[in-house]
Amino acid sequence: MRKVQAATGFPQLGLNLPVLQGIDVLGNARVHVGGRWHPGIFAATGGTPLVAMGANTHTMATLMQQLHPDEPVFDAGNLAGQVDAIVDRARAQVDAGLALRAEVLQKAAAMRAQVAGNLGFVQARLAASRGEAQASSRPT
């Protein structure tokens, strides 16, 4: 990414940037172009639209299905052949402005609202498993 930064003059977040600062920058960016799941989620928490790249995993494709179902996921193994398309998607998302940001923010909020239910499910399964383990260890 240093070569991209040098060629474009666009900022790049350093490796030693504190996590909370990075999340704040991503959440307030005009668009996030990336191929990592966590930064994509951090960007979405502020309503930042995402242009995604994926490589042999389902994570970015799944995130894009949730946030931007009509947007492509670019192949990280063939970026040179997709630069124009990636730039076009980033420009289109920036041009979509506040309406797109509000949509991403709403989808991120809906996903965040499901977290408690997901954690509750895991806690119930753990409690049930502990109960089964305790019951099987009691003498009969």
PDB file of all heavy atoms in Angstrom, residues 14 16 42 48 121-122 132:
ATOM      1  N   GLY A  14      -0.571   4.517   9.638  1.00  0.00           N
ATOM      2  CA  GLY A  14       0.643   3.817  10.021  1.00  0.00           C
ATOM      3  C   GLY A  14       0.376   2.592  10.881  1.00  0.00           C
ATOM      4  O   GLY A  14      -0.670   2.476  11.527  1.00  0.00           O
ATOM      5  N   ASN A  16       1.671   1.801  13.666  1.00  0.00           N
ATOM      6  CA  ASN A  16       1.698   2.070  15.098  1.00  0.00           C
ATOM      7  C   ASN A  16       0.616   3.041  15.555  1.00  0.00           C
ATOM      8  O   ASN A  16       0.647   3.514  16.691  1.00  0.00           O
ATOM      9  CB  ASN A  16       3.079   2.592  15.506  1.00  0.00           C
ATOM     10  CG  ASN A  16       4.144   1.548  15.276  1.00  0.00           C
ATOM     11  OD1 ASN A  16       3.939   0.375  15.552  1.00  0.00           O
ATOM     12  ND2 ASN A  16       5.268   1.957  14.743  1.00  0.00           N
ATOM     13  N   PHE A  42     -15.057  -1.424  11.305  1.00  0.00           N
ATOM     14  CA  PHE A  42     -14.788  -0.150  11.981  1.00  0.00           C
ATOM     15  C   PHE A  42     -15.258   1.019  11.120  1.00  0.00           C
ATOM     16  O   PHE A  42     -15.835   1.980  11.633  1.00  0.00           O
ATOM     17  CB  PHE A  42     -13.300  -0.005  12.294  1.00  0.00           C
ATOM     18  CG  PHE A  42     -12.756  -1.031  13.243  1.00  0.00           C
ATOM     19  CD1 PHE A  42     -11.429  -1.403  13.183  1.00  0.00           C
ATOM     20  CD2 PHE A  42     -13.563  -1.635  14.195  1.00  0.00           C
ATOM     21  CE1 PHE A  42     -10.909  -2.345  14.059  1.00  0.00           C
ATOM     22  CE2 PHE A  42     -13.054  -2.576  15.075  1.00  0.00           C
ATOM     23  CZ  PHE A  42     -11.721  -2.933  15.010  1.00  0.00           C
ATOM     24  N   THR A  48     -19.102   4.880   6.986  1.00  0.00           N
ATOM     25  CA  THR A  48     -18.203   4.961   5.836  1.00  0.00           C
ATOM     26  C   THR A  48     -18.472   3.815   4.869  1.00  0.00           C
ATOM     27  O   THR A  48     -18.426   2.655   5.260  1.00  0.00           O
ATOM     28  CB  THR A  48     -16.729   4.916   6.299  1.00  0.00           C
ATOM     29  OG1 THR A  48     -16.496   6.013   7.172  1.00  0.00           O
ATOM     30  CG2 THR A  48     -15.777   4.979   5.128  1.00  0.00           C
ATOM     31  N   PHE A 121     -27.150 -16.274  23.000  1.00  0.00           N
ATOM     32  CA  PHE A 121     -27.208 -17.632  22.463  1.00  0.00           C
ATOM     33  C   PHE A 121     -25.982 -18.426  22.891  1.00  0.00           C
ATOM     34  O   PHE A 121     -26.082 -19.557  23.360  1.00  0.00           O
ATOM     35  CB  PHE A 121     -27.316 -17.597  20.934  1.00  0.00           C
ATOM     36  CG  PHE A 121     -27.217 -18.945  20.288  1.00  0.00           C
ATOM     37  CD1 PHE A 121     -28.314 -19.795  20.267  1.00  0.00           C
ATOM     38  CD2 PHE A 121     -26.024 -19.371  19.725  1.00  0.00           C
ATOM     39  CE1 PHE A 121     -28.220 -21.047  19.673  1.00  0.00           C
ATOM     40  CE2 PHE A 121     -25.922 -20.619  19.140  1.00  0.00           C
ATOM     41  CZ  PHE A 121     -27.025 -21.467  19.114  1.00  0.00           C
ATOM     42  N   VAL A 122     -24.799 -17.812  22.755  1.00  0.00           N
ATOM     43  CA  VAL A 122     -23.555 -18.489  23.134  1.00  0.00           C
ATOM     44  C   VAL A 122     -23.546 -18.782  24.635  1.00  0.00           C
ATOM     45  O   VAL A 122     -23.176 -19.882  25.074  1.00  0.00           O
ATOM     46  CB  VAL A 122     -22.320 -17.647  22.723  1.00  0.00           C
ATOM     47  CG1 VAL A 122     -21.041 -18.216  23.318  1.00  0.00           C
ATOM     48  CG2 VAL A 122     -22.227 -17.564  21.207  1.00  0.00           C
ATOM     49  N   GLU A 132     -24.840 -30.165  31.480  1.00  0.00           N
ATOM     50  CA  GLU A 132     -24.725 -31.547  31.026  1.00  0.00           C
ATOM     51  C   GLU A 132     -23.459 -32.183  31.594  1.00  0.00           C
ATOM     52  O   GLU A 132     -23.467 -33.335  32.006  1.00  0.00           O
ATOM     53  CB  GLU A 132     -24.697 -31.608  29.498  1.00  0.00           C
ATOM     54  CG  GLU A 132     -26.015 -31.249  28.853  1.00  0.00           C
ATOM     55  CD  GLU A 132     -25.899 -31.098  27.342  1.00  0.00           C
ATOM     56  OE1 GLU A 132     -24.859 -31.488  26.764  1.00  0.00           O
ATOM     57  OE2 GLU A 132     -26.859 -30.587  26.748  1.00  0.00           O
TER      58      GLU A 132
END
